[in-house]
């Protein structure tokens, strides 16, 4: 019980840490030289939170409203959010050869969702190296493409920014209209989606797959098998659904060639996984597509990575549990049985997320009654799952740009809670009940 209590305190520290960094980032963005146009503190806080939570919802145009230094601050916040501020802080400790105590290691373990203390610092070093190599490769590939239409300096900065933003599933762009002008560009579409997928599967999975390919592991863990299976299954499923729902919609992809329809559907499906880039105008989507997107976004990516949502592992556990409950067998997958603790946690995450989402969207609908409920649901799902896609404000900004300060604050809270995860968020705000040794008689409930 002491360990659980300590973990609650650790999670509260992580939660408060992200709030502090978001506030610090907001203060910096309001300074002279960071923005081209006037910016209120609530908009600066929204931008800072969106970056630290790797969401990508914007109330100010990153290209037009921020200077180079403002964009650089946003990129730094994305990096802090993507790797976790504890991970970055402890990596600095390693560089200056400072000894890290138990509390620091435990904070790192919780922030990166690493299963054990053993090999934690070695894992941290490997992750930093892998992330650097992947983002560097992405930056080079994107810069080469951007050089075809802009000067080298601008192309390199654009390549670096979009590579880091894509890998960290942030969805921020320094182009005025995002990636809309690259809708039919196969190179940009494949590089961006590849970075999103790699960043979204989680650092633990990324390293395990690498070691397995190098034959340093005999087999992949159950966690990795579930993540990889669910990731590619969900991407294919979402691509097919978007393709079918929007196939004849002239406002979205109806007038495209067959190949471009598939490419745009695939890009959208991958970005629904918590990235937030868009090559299509979501305000032109059918209601069925927006409703599907609202539900699909909540799934998110993998634990311990750069994505948000309830996570693919949670959805997998619920589906497996439902399947074996109907069949009447033991709850198992890939020749492994699942513990009751894992199943219970999956139910808490799904139920907690559902209630949290419902309360927030209902509150928003009261505050922003001028907007259709479905568009508010889409925006809420995007914020909670740290995705960043939006039906927009009619221009280049998110729908949130039209909200009042109270509604923006709700979205800000949703983005932060989505970053640390709903289970961690609930643990951090609820007081733990003291252990009791009284047992109560079991009661029967008929379902």
């Amino acid at each position: 019980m002491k360990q659980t209590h300590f973990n609650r305190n650790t999670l509260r520290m992580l939660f408060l840490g992200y709030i502090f960094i978001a506030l610090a980032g907001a203060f910096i963005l309001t300074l002279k030289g960071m923005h081209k146009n006037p910016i209120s503190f609530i908009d600066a806080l929204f931008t800072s939170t969106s970056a630290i939570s790797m969401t990508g919802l914007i109330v100010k145009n990153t290209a037009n409203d921020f200077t180079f230094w403002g964009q650089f601050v946003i990129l730094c916040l994305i990096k802090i959010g993507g790797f976790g501020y504890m991970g970055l802080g402890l990596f600095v400790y390693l560089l200056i050869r400072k000894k890290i105590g138990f509390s620091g290691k435990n904070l790192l373990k919780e922030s990166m969702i690493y299963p054990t203390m053993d090999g934690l610092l070695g894992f941290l070093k490997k992750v930093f190296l892998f992330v650097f190599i992947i983002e560097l490769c992405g930056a080079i590939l994107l810069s080469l493409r951007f050089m075809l239409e802009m000067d080298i300096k601008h192309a390199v900065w654009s390549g670096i920014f979009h590579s880091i933003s894509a890998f960290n599933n942030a969805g921020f762009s320094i182009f005025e209209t995002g990636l809309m002008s690259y809708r039919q560009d196969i190179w940009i579409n494949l590089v961006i989606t590849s970075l999103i997928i790699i960043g979204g599967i989680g650092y633990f999975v990324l390293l395990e797959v690498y070691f397995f390919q190098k034959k340093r592991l005999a087999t992949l863990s159950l966690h990795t098998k579930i993540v990889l299976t669910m990731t590619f299954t969900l991407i294919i499923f979402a691509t097919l659904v978007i393709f079918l729902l929007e196939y004849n919609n002239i406002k979205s992809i109806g007038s495209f060639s067959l190949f471009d329809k598939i490419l745009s559907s695939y890009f959208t499906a991958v970005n629904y996984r918590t990235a937030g880039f868009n090559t299509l105008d979501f305000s032109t989507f059918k209601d069925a597509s927006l409703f599907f997107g609202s539900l699909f976004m909540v799934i998110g990516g993998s634990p311990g990575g750069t994505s948000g949502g309830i996570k693919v592992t949670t959805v997998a556990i619920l589906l497996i549990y439902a399947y074996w409950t109907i069949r009447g067998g033991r709850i198992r997958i890939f020749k492994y049985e699942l513990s009751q603790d894992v199943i219970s946690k999956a139910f808490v995450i799904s139920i907690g997320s559902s209630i949290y989402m419902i309360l927030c969207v209902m509150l928003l609908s009261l505050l922003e009654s001028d907007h259709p409920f479905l568009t508010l649901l889409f925006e809420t799902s995007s914020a909670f799952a740290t995705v960043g896609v939006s039906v927009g404000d009619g221009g280049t900004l998110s729908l949130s740009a039209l909200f009042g300060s109270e509604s923006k604050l709700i979205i800000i809270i949703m983005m932060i809670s989505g970053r640390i995860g709903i289970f961690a968020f609930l643990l951090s705000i609820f007081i733990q009940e003291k252990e009791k040794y009284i047992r109560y008689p079991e009661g029967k409930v008929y379902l």
Side-chain angles (χ1 to χ4, degrees):
M1 298 305 294
K2 289 182 179 180
Q3 182 63 29
T4 303
H5 177 70
F6 181 82
N7 286 341
R8 284 176 185 267
N9 290 335
T10 301
L11 293 173
R12 289 189 185 104
M13 289 177 65
L14 288 173
F15 183 53
L16 293 174
Y18 279 111
I19 293 176
F20 174 78
I21 295 173
L23 289 170
F27 174 75
I28 294 173
L29 289 175
T30 59
L31 297 177
K32 185 179 179 181
M34 295 294 169
H35 48 87
K36 301 176 184 177
N37 301 310
I39 184 172
S40 64
F41 184 79
I42 188 67
D43 285 345
L45 179 60
F46 192 103
T47 302
S48 177
T49 304
S50 186
I52 194 72
S53 64
M54 304 166 298
T55 303
L57 290 174
I58 57 172
V59 292
K60 290 292 182 180
N61 190 289
T62 312
N64 295 338
D65 293 320
F66 292 100
T67 64
F68 166 79
W69 290 110
Q71 294 171 7
F72 181 75
V73 169
I74 291 172
L75 192 63
C76 290
L77 289 170
I78 291 172
K79 279 301 300 176
I80 294 172
F83 204 79
Y85 72 90
M86 281 308 304
L88 288 172
L90 293 181
F91 185 72
V92 172
Y93 261 68
L94 289 175
L95 290 178
I96 60 177
R97 300 184 181 279
K98 289 282 186 178
K99 188 175 181 180
I100 302 171
F102 177 81
S103 298
K105 290 181 180 179
N106 196 62
L107 276 169
L108 176 62
K109 173 178 169 292
E110 295 290 347
S111 65
M112 300 192 70
I113 316 181
Y114 190 71
T116 177
M117 287 285 195
D118 297 332
L120 181 61
L121 298 183
F123 171 76
L124 177 64
K125 294 177 183 177
K126 291 183 178 68
V127 167
F128 255 100
L129 178 62
F130 268 67
V131 170
F132 175 77
I133 293 174
I134 294 169
E135 290 179 341
L136 177 63
C137 290
I140 292 172
L141 293 173
L142 291 174
S143 297
L144 291 174
R145 171 61 185 85
F146 294 144
M147 283 180 189
L148 298 178
E149 56 193 47
M150 59 185 76
D151 61 84
I152 294 179
K153 183 179 179 181
H154 190 198
V156 170
W157 171 236
S158 298
I160 293 172
F161 190 99
H162 287 91
S163 176
I164 294 175
S165 183
F167 178 80
N168 290 281
N169 285 212
F172 275 86
S173 174
I174 54 174
F175 299 146
E176 182 178 355
T177 57
L179 299 180
M180 296 283 284
S181 59
Y182 297 98
R183 177 183 300 153
Q184 298 172 326
D185 192 304
I186 300 176
W187 185 275
I188 295 295
N189 276 257
L190 292 183
V191 173
I192 291 292
T193 53
S194 297
L195 288 168
I196 292 168
I197 293 170
I198 294 172
I201 63 175
Y203 300 128
F204 180 81
V205 173
L206 183 64
L207 287 179
E208 191 169 272
V209 169
Y210 172 77
F211 289 134
F212 179 74
Q213 290 293 325
K214 291 293 184 180
K215 301 187 183 302
R216 292 170 63 179
L217 284 177
T219 184
L220 296 174
S221 66
L222 175 62
H223 172 81
T224 296
K225 289 179 180 178
I226 291 177
V227 167
L228 295 178
T229 301
M230 286 294 293
T231 295
F232 293 108
T233 299
L234 289 172
I235 289 175
I236 294 171
F237 173 69
T239 301
L240 181 61
V241 171
I242 296 168
F243 177 80
L244 293 175
L245 291 177
E246 295 297 316
Y247 187 86
N248 293 317
N249 186 357
I250 300 299
K251 295 180 179 179
S252 60
I253 66 173
S255 60
F256 294 3
S257 66
L258 179 61
F259 179 80
D260 287 339
K261 286 180 179 179
I262 296 173
L263 184 64
S264 294
S265 299
Y266 165 72
F267 189 88
T268 302
V270 172
N271 279 273
Y272 269 166
R273 303 294 315 292
T274 76
F277 289 107
N278 67 292
T279 55
L280 298 173
D281 183 354
F282 289 102
S283 66
T284 64
F285 273 32
K286 296 179 179 178
D287 285 351
S289 299
L290 291 178
F291 183 69
F292 168 75
S294 299
L295 299 179
F296 190 80
M297 283 190 288
V298 175
I299 296 175
S302 169
T306 60
S307 56
I310 65 173
K311 304 297 187 293
V312 295
T313 45
T314 300
V315 175
I317 296 303
L318 294 176
L319 293 175
I320 294 165
Y321 180 79
Y323 173 79
W324 284 112
T325 298
I326 294 171
R327 286 199 60 182
R330 290 182 174 273
I331 316 301
R332 62 186 186 276
I333 183 174
F334 295 124
K335 298 182 179 180
Y336 288 93
E337 289 193 14
L338 300 178
S339 69
Q340 186 58 49
D341 287 342
V342 171
I343 296 172
S344 298
K345 184 178 178 180
F347 271 98
V348 170
I349 291 173
S350 60
I351 294 173
S353 299
S354 300
I355 296 174
Y356 184 52
M357 282 278 300
I358 291 170
L359 291 175
C360 288
V361 74
M362 287 177 65
L363 185 55
L364 274 179
S365 68
L366 293 175
L367 295 172
E368 305 294 335
S369 56
D370 293 339
H371 302 291
F373 182 81
L374 188 56
T375 61
L376 293 176
L377 175 62
F378 193 81
E379 193 84 358
T380 304
S381 298
S382 183
F384 170 71
T386 68
V387 177
V389 295
S390 174
V391 297
D393 68 334
T396 59
L397 306 178
S398 303
L399 181 65
S400 297
L402 301 176
F403 291 174
S405 297
E406 297 84 359
S407 299
K408 286 179 180 177
L409 188 58
I410 292 173
I411 297 295
I412 287 171
I413 294 171
M414 292 196 74
M415 290 190 291
I416 294 179
S417 59
R419 173 62 187 93
I420 68 170
I422 189 62
F423 189 76
F425 177 66
L426 292 174
L427 283 179
S428 66
I429 62 176
F430 280 99
I431 299 173
Q432 183 182 9
E433 182 181 4
K434 293 182 179 179
E435 185 175 6
K436 295 181 179 179
Y437 298 95
I438 301 174
R439 297 295 299 272
Y440 298 94
E442 292 185 0
K444 289 186 178 181
V445 178
Y446 301 97
L447 303 177

